Amino acid sequence: MKIKRYSIENWFNSYNMQCKLKFVGVQSIGTICSNRIAAFVLENYKQLKCGESFKFDSRVDTNNNIEVTKWHDNEVVHVI
């Protein structure tokens, strides 16, 4: 069986969509807008931006096995 994998742009991505895709057997990854990850509590922008670059914070929803990572490169980026 071939595994389907997709990358999704943040304009279309959301936590609920990731859950639905996972339910139907589609693996996906993509950037996500910060207002679409309310189920996850990550470090705030000031704490992450303070100090060196490449700091990150990550959380996993163990019920659905979905991970959200927030990291600071030149700007703060969210990936689900």
Side-chain angles (χ1 to χ4, degrees):
M1 180 176 171
K2 189 173 181 181
I3 297 174
K4 297 178 185 177
R5 294 185 177 135
Y6 295 97
S7 177
I8 302 168
E9 184 183 345
N10 69 352
W11 183 259
F12 303 103
N13 207 357
S14 70
Y15 172 74
N16 292 333
M17 187 178 81
Q18 291 288 334
C19 289
K20 290 176 184 176
L21 287 173
K22 187 159 180 94
F23 180 75
V24 297
V26 177
Q27 294 182 357
S28 61
I29 186 171
T31 56
I32 188 168
C33 296
S34 61
N35 62 346
R36 296 184 182 162
I37 55 170
F40 298 90
V41 179
L42 300 167
E43 281 189 34
N44 68 25
Y45 179 78
K46 289 183 180 181
Q47 289 175 332
L48 204 60
K49 195 168 179 178
C50 160
E52 74 277 355
S53 290
F54 307 112
K55 288 177 76 175
F56 70 94
D57 188 19
S58 184
R59 299 286 187 266
V60 176
D61 174 11
T62 55
N63 294 330
N64 296 311
N65 200 23
I66 294 176
E67 180 178 1
V68 171
T69 302
K70 178 180 183 178
W71 86 84
H72 175 250
D73 187 9
N74 292 330
E75 290 293 324
V76 174
V77 178
H78 299 86
V79 175
I80 190 166

